[in-house]
Short mmCIF file of all heavy atoms in Angstrom, two decimals:
data_model
loop_
_atom_site.label_atom_id
_atom_site.label_comp_id
_atom_site.label_asym_id
_atom_site.label_seq_id
_atom_site.Cartn_x
_atom_site.Cartn_y
_atom_site.Cartn_z
N PRO A 28 -5.96 69.24 13.91
CA PRO A 28 -5.84 70.71 13.92
C PRO A 28 -6.08 71.28 12.46
O PRO A 28 -5.66 70.77 11.40
CB PRO A 28 -4.46 71.00 14.35
CG PRO A 28 -4.12 69.73 15.10
CD PRO A 28 -4.82 68.58 14.44
N GLU A 29 -6.73 72.46 12.44
CA GLU A 29 -7.12 73.02 11.12
C GLU A 29 -5.97 73.24 10.18
O GLU A 29 -5.99 72.95 9.09
CB GLU A 29 -7.93 74.33 11.27
CG GLU A 29 -8.44 74.71 9.90
CD GLU A 29 -9.22 76.06 9.95
OE1 GLU A 29 -9.00 76.79 10.89
OE2 GLU A 29 -9.93 76.28 8.91
N ALA A 30 -4.81 73.77 10.73
CA ALA A 30 -3.62 74.00 9.86
C ALA A 30 -3.20 72.65 9.24
O ALA A 30 -2.95 72.66 8.03
CB ALA A 30 -2.51 74.58 10.67
N GLU A 31 -3.17 71.61 10.02
CA GLU A 31 -2.78 70.31 9.48
C GLU A 31 -3.79 69.80 8.40
O GLU A 31 -3.51 69.23 7.41
CB GLU A 31 -2.66 69.35 10.63
CG GLU A 31 -2.26 67.97 10.22
CD GLU A 31 -2.19 67.03 11.43
OE1 GLU A 31 -1.80 67.47 12.54
OE2 GLU A 31 -2.67 65.83 11.25
N ALA A 32 -5.06 70.09 8.74
CA ALA A 32 -6.23 69.64 7.85
C ALA A 32 -6.11 70.43 6.49
O ALA A 32 -6.37 69.85 5.45
CB ALA A 32 -7.53 69.88 8.49
N ILE A 33 -5.79 71.67 6.56
CA ILE A 33 -5.70 72.45 5.30
C ILE A 33 -4.51 72.05 4.48
O ILE A 33 -4.62 71.91 3.23
CB ILE A 33 -5.64 73.99 5.64
CG1 ILE A 33 -6.96 74.46 6.06
CG2 ILE A 33 -5.13 74.82 4.44
CD1 ILE A 33 -7.04 75.94 6.57
N THR A 34 -3.38 71.70 5.11
CA THR A 34 -2.25 71.18 4.36
C THR A 34 -2.63 69.79 3.72
O THR A 34 -2.35 69.63 2.47
CB THR A 34 -1.02 70.96 5.32
OG1 THR A 34 -0.69 72.29 5.80
CG2 THR A 34 0.18 70.34 4.56
N ALA A 35 -3.29 68.95 4.49
CA ALA A 35 -3.79 67.75 3.86
C ALA A 35 -4.76 67.99 2.74
O ALA A 35 -4.69 67.20 1.67
CB ALA A 35 -4.38 66.82 4.98
N LEU A 36 -5.63 68.91 2.90
CA LEU A 36 -6.62 69.22 1.86
C LEU A 36 -5.81 69.63 0.58
O LEU A 36 -6.19 69.10 -0.51
CB LEU A 36 -7.57 70.30 2.25
CG LEU A 36 -8.47 70.86 1.31
CD1 LEU A 36 -9.50 69.79 0.79
CD2 LEU A 36 -9.29 72.12 1.92
N ASP A 37 -4.88 70.51 0.77
CA ASP A 37 -4.10 70.90 -0.45
C ASP A 37 -3.39 69.77 -1.12
O ASP A 37 -3.40 69.60 -2.33
CB ASP A 37 -3.13 72.00 -0.02
CG ASP A 37 -2.45 72.74 -1.15
OD1 ASP A 37 -3.18 73.03 -2.17
OD2 ASP A 37 -1.28 72.82 -1.11
N ASP A 38 -2.77 68.90 -0.27
CA ASP A 38 -2.16 67.70 -0.78
C ASP A 38 -3.00 66.80 -1.57
O ASP A 38 -2.76 66.35 -2.64
CB ASP A 38 -1.44 66.90 0.31
CG ASP A 38 -0.23 67.56 0.94
OD1 ASP A 38 0.31 68.58 0.35
OD2 ASP A 38 0.12 67.21 2.02
N GLU A 39 -4.20 66.58 -1.01
CA GLU A 39 -5.12 65.64 -1.65
C GLU A 39 -5.73 66.31 -2.92
O GLU A 39 -5.93 65.58 -3.93
CB GLU A 39 -6.28 65.22 -0.67
CG GLU A 39 -5.79 64.33 0.51
CD GLU A 39 -4.85 63.21 0.11
OE1 GLU A 39 -5.07 62.59 -0.95
OE2 GLU A 39 -3.92 62.96 0.83
N LEU A 40 -5.97 67.55 -2.94
CA LEU A 40 -6.39 68.20 -4.12
C LEU A 40 -5.44 68.09 -5.24
O LEU A 40 -5.78 67.82 -6.43
CB LEU A 40 -6.75 69.68 -3.88
CG LEU A 40 -8.00 69.93 -3.03
CD1 LEU A 40 -7.99 71.48 -2.64
CD2 LEU A 40 -9.25 69.66 -3.83
N ASN A 41 -4.13 68.26 -4.92
CA ASN A 41 -3.06 68.05 -5.96
C ASN A 41 -3.10 66.72 -6.53
O ASN A 41 -3.01 66.52 -7.75
CB ASN A 41 -1.74 68.43 -5.35
CG ASN A 41 -1.59 69.91 -5.19
OD1 ASN A 41 -2.06 70.70 -5.90
ND2 ASN A 41 -0.87 70.29 -4.06
N ARG A 42 -3.21 65.70 -5.65
CA ARG A 42 -3.27 64.26 -6.18
C ARG A 42 -4.47 64.06 -7.03
O ARG A 42 -4.41 63.38 -8.11
CB ARG A 42 -3.27 63.30 -4.98
CG ARG A 42 -1.95 63.16 -4.26
CD ARG A 42 -2.05 62.08 -3.18
NE ARG A 42 -0.86 62.19 -2.36
CZ ARG A 42 -0.75 62.83 -1.13
NH1 ARG A 42 -1.89 63.39 -0.72
NH2 ARG A 42 0.38 62.92 -0.56
N LEU A 43 -5.61 64.48 -6.49
CA LEU A 43 -6.88 64.27 -7.34
C LEU A 43 -6.90 64.97 -8.69
O LEU A 43 -7.38 64.47 -9.65
CB LEU A 43 -8.06 64.78 -6.48
CG LEU A 43 -8.59 63.87 -5.41
CD1 LEU A 43 -9.48 64.61 -4.50
CD2 LEU A 43 -9.22 62.62 -5.99
N MET A 44 -6.29 66.12 -8.70
CA MET A 44 -6.32 66.94 -9.96
C MET A 44 -5.38 66.16 -10.95
O MET A 44 -5.77 66.13 -12.11
CB MET A 44 -5.71 68.35 -9.74
CG MET A 44 -6.59 69.22 -8.91
SD MET A 44 -8.26 69.47 -9.59
CE MET A 44 -7.83 70.26 -11.06
N ARG A 45 -4.26 65.67 -10.60
CA ARG A 45 -3.43 64.86 -11.54
C ARG A 45 -4.24 63.62 -12.03
O ARG A 45 -4.25 63.27 -13.20
CB ARG A 45 -2.09 64.46 -10.86
CG ARG A 45 -1.09 65.57 -10.83
CD ARG A 45 0.26 65.13 -10.49
NE ARG A 45 0.29 64.42 -9.26
CZ ARG A 45 0.39 64.95 -8.02
NH1 ARG A 45 0.38 66.23 -7.88
NH2 ARG A 45 0.41 64.20 -6.99
N LEU A 46 -4.84 62.98 -11.07
CA LEU A 46 -5.57 61.73 -11.38
C LEU A 46 -6.78 62.07 -12.23
O LEU A 46 -7.00 61.31 -13.26
CB LEU A 46 -6.07 61.08 -10.09
CG LEU A 46 -6.66 59.67 -10.20
CD1 LEU A 46 -5.67 58.76 -10.86
CD2 LEU A 46 -7.06 59.24 -8.85
N GLY A 47 -7.45 63.13 -12.02
CA GLY A 47 -8.53 63.53 -12.79
C GLY A 47 -8.10 63.86 -14.23
O GLY A 47 -8.78 63.37 -15.21
N ARG A 48 -7.04 64.56 -14.32
CA ARG A 48 -6.50 64.90 -15.69
C ARG A 48 -6.02 63.65 -16.46
O ARG A 48 -6.24 63.59 -17.64
CB ARG A 48 -5.35 65.91 -15.51
CG ARG A 48 -4.77 66.38 -16.78
CD ARG A 48 -3.41 66.98 -16.54
NE ARG A 48 -2.44 65.97 -16.08
CZ ARG A 48 -1.45 66.19 -15.27
NH1 ARG A 48 -1.18 67.46 -14.85
NH2 ARG A 48 -0.67 65.29 -14.82
N ASP A 49 -5.50 62.81 -15.73
CA ASP A 49 -4.70 61.61 -16.39
C ASP A 49 -5.63 60.37 -16.62
O ASP A 49 -5.22 59.45 -17.30
CB ASP A 49 -3.53 61.21 -15.57
CG ASP A 49 -2.48 62.28 -15.63
OD1 ASP A 49 -2.45 63.16 -16.51
OD2 ASP A 49 -1.51 62.20 -14.75
N THR A 50 -6.79 60.37 -15.99
CA THR A 50 -7.72 59.24 -16.16
C THR A 50 -8.43 59.43 -17.47
O THR A 50 -9.20 60.37 -17.68
CB THR A 50 -8.71 59.23 -14.97
OG1 THR A 50 -8.00 58.98 -13.80
CG2 THR A 50 -9.73 58.05 -15.21
N PRO A 51 -8.29 58.45 -18.36
CA PRO A 51 -9.01 58.57 -19.68
C PRO A 51 -10.55 58.34 -19.44
O PRO A 51 -10.91 57.65 -18.54
CB PRO A 51 -8.50 57.42 -20.47
CG PRO A 51 -7.46 56.65 -19.68
CD PRO A 51 -7.50 57.30 -18.32
#
């Protein structure tokens, strides 16, 4: 369902942003 997919998208973006910032 889209609402669930958007929540998952937001969660994954947050994880990726931290990883992108912290990866040398």
Side-chain angles (χ1 to χ4, degrees):
E29 187 183 20
E31 182 182 319
I33 288 174
T34 298
L36 174 62
D37 190 45
D38 289 344
E39 295 312 323
L40 287 170
N41 287 324
R42 285 185 193 97
L43 281 167
M44 294 300 296
R45 282 191 308 276
L46 189 58
R48 180 197 66 210
D49 294 343
T50 298

